[in-house]
Amino acid sequence: MSDSASTQTTPLWLIFREFLLIGAVSFGGGIVAYERILLVDKRKWLTPDDFMATLAISQTMPGLNSVNLALLAGDRLRGFFGACVACVGLILPGGLFVLIAGVAYSEGADHPMMNILLAGIAAGATGLLASITYTIGDQHFRHMRSLSMIVATFVLMSVLKLSLVTVLLIMAPIGLFLYRPRKEEISSK
Amino acid sequence: MSALLQLAMTFGMLSVLAVGGGTAVLPEMQTILAQRFNIDHTAFVHIYSLGQLAPGPNMLMVLVFGFQIAGLLGAGVVLLSFFLPSSMLCLAVGRLWNKIGERPWRRAVQSALEPIAIGLMCSGVYAVAKAAIVGPLSIALALVVFGLLLRTRINPVYLILGAGAVGALLMHLTGMQ
């Protein structure tokens, strides 16, 4: 990692403003794509390779991928405070949005018109969640190893109704065993 | 006070268990909110769905649960407990990673967690669908949105709002759900 003068002096307000912008315009998801445009193309804060490495860590660690990515990018630019302003910028607009929507919901949840509107919105959101799951799972549904992991996880969670901690304690060791680094793969790289 | 503490514990735990993104904890969140905080599955799905209309990360609707349970203070507690633990963990590991570089077992951890996360997302779809699908009309709306999202590049926000408007109109006219 290069500590060139330009990365040392990236102002905190600029990091905040850029992530605030993403947080405000990213209606409908796809935030990681917005972040890639910002970090790699627009400001060149990360090289494409650095971006992929950072994204990989964001996906490996728990938490929302887009938030983790903002944290790690902010950290690389300006350390702890860079991470803070990037994260706050990203979640501030949407946070205010949901709070306002939530207050309106609390006030009007009993109104019949509100209820039938929400029934349609909930059906639409179900379609969205299903399509995201289908798209992300696409490759995994076609391989026996990952498909059996998916099915086992679903059965433990939704059919046997075990707690999430229990499901992870059962599935994570199995997954790590199935996907353990193999000697031949490492040496062939 | 105990409600705030319970909120912090609940969402702090969900934070570090959110493998592969926040969607993986949806079924657990729905169960816990119903059992400990009296938020029924319909309210859960309504708030989740409203959250999908917001810009930014897709799990920000957790603030609304905090707000419903303990007001603005509750929203603040949920914000901190849902985002701080995983963020601190990610920052710490991210820094470690810059020092030691890529290791084969990082890829192994990611590969192992991916199918688990997808399985949990399937459970999330099931949990949300069980509360949101109440009749032939809601099945049709969900399927149309699903199909359009896979085949076109229409922004999901328009499709969800459209499903709300079309659904409300048809429910009003036909009495179907």
Side-chain angles (χ1 to χ4, degrees), chain A residues 26 59-60 63 75 106 158 164, chain B residues 18 28 56 68 95 106 110 123:
Chain A
S26 56
Q59 289 169 332
T60 307
D75 189 42
S106 305
S158 292
L164 181 56
Chain B
E28 180 86 349
Q68 289 229 318
R95 286 182 175 186
R106 204 240 7 112
Q110 193 185 349
S123 293

Side-chain angles (χ1 to χ4, degrees), chain A residues 2 4 12 29 40-41 61 107-108 123 126 157 162 176-177 181 186:
Chain A
S2 69
S4 66
L12 285 173
V40 178
D41 303 329
M61 298 309 294
E107 301 286 315
T126 308
M157 192 78 210
L162 301 180
L176 284 173
F177 176 75
I186 300 166

Side-chain angles (χ1 to χ4, degrees), chain A residues 8-83:
Chain A
Q8 283 290 317
T9 54
T10 309
L12 285 173
W13 63 263
L14 183 65
I15 301 173
F16 176 74
R17 197 189 70 189
E18 292 289 9
F19 279 97
L20 184 75
L21 194 63
I22 294 179
V25 301
S26 56
F27 285 95
I31 308 177
V32 170
Y34 286 96
E35 289 176 326
R36 190 183 193 285
I37 292 169
L38 164 69
L39 295 167
V40 178
D41 303 329
K42 186 177 169 194
R43 293 285 173 188
K44 300 191 169 36
W45 281 335
L46 295 178
T47 66
D49 283 350
D50 282 340
F51 177 84
M52 288 316 289
T54 310
L55 179 63
I57 299 170
S58 309
Q59 289 169 332
T60 307
M61 298 309 294
L64 313 188
N65 298 337
S66 57
V67 174
N68 285 347
L69 191 54
L71 282 165
L72 292 174
D75 189 42
R76 286 189 76 145
L77 290 168
R78 285 297 301 270
F80 180 72
F81 292 107

Side-chain angles (χ1 to χ4, degrees), chain A:
Chain A
M1 190 169 76
S2 69
D3 282 333
S4 66
S6 66
T7 57
Q8 283 290 317
T9 54
T10 309
L12 285 173
W13 63 263
L14 183 65
I15 301 173
F16 176 74
R17 197 189 70 189
E18 292 289 9
F19 279 97
L20 184 75
L21 194 63
I22 294 179
V25 301
S26 56
F27 285 95
I31 308 177
V32 170
Y34 286 96
E35 289 176 326
R36 190 183 193 285
I37 292 169
L38 164 69
L39 295 167
V40 178
D41 303 329
K42 186 177 169 194
R43 293 285 173 188
K44 300 191 169 36
W45 281 335
L46 295 178
T47 66
D49 283 350
D50 282 340
F51 177 84
M52 288 316 289
T54 310
L55 179 63
I57 299 170
S58 309
Q59 289 169 332
T60 307
M61 298 309 294
L64 313 188
N65 298 337
S66 57
V67 174
N68 285 347
L69 191 54
L71 282 165
L72 292 174
D75 189 42
R76 286 189 76 145
L77 290 168
R78 285 297 301 270
F80 180 72
F81 292 107
C84 291
V85 297
C87 180
V88 170
L90 190 66
I91 62 182
L92 190 63
L96 290 176
F97 184 108
V98 295
L99 274 182
I100 293 166
V103 172
Y105 175 76
S106 305
E107 301 286 315
D110 300 328
H111 196 279
M113 194 60 207
M114 178 88 155
N115 255 313
I116 60 170
L117 197 62
L118 278 167
I121 286 177
T126 308
L128 170 63
L129 184 58
S131 80
I132 293 172
T133 306
Y134 182 82
T135 310
I136 292 181
D138 194 25
Q139 290 303 313
H140 297 266
F141 292 132
R142 295 169 200 201
H143 295 99
M144 220 33 231
R145 186 168 57 170
S146 46
L147 183 62
S148 38
M149 293 268 301
I150 293 170
V151 172
T153 307
F154 178 83
V155 169
L156 293 177
M157 192 78 210
S158 292
V159 182
L160 302 179
K161 301 195 183 300
L162 301 180
S163 73
L164 181 56
V165 181
T166 317
V167 174
L168 289 175
L169 284 177
I170 295 171
M171 292 309 298
I174 297 176
L176 284 173
F177 176 75
L178 290 177
Y179 292 92
R180 68 192 177 278
R182 320 242 169 175
K183 285 231 166 61
E184 57 274 29
E185 285 176 22
I186 300 166
S187 53
S188 69
K189 269 177 192 170

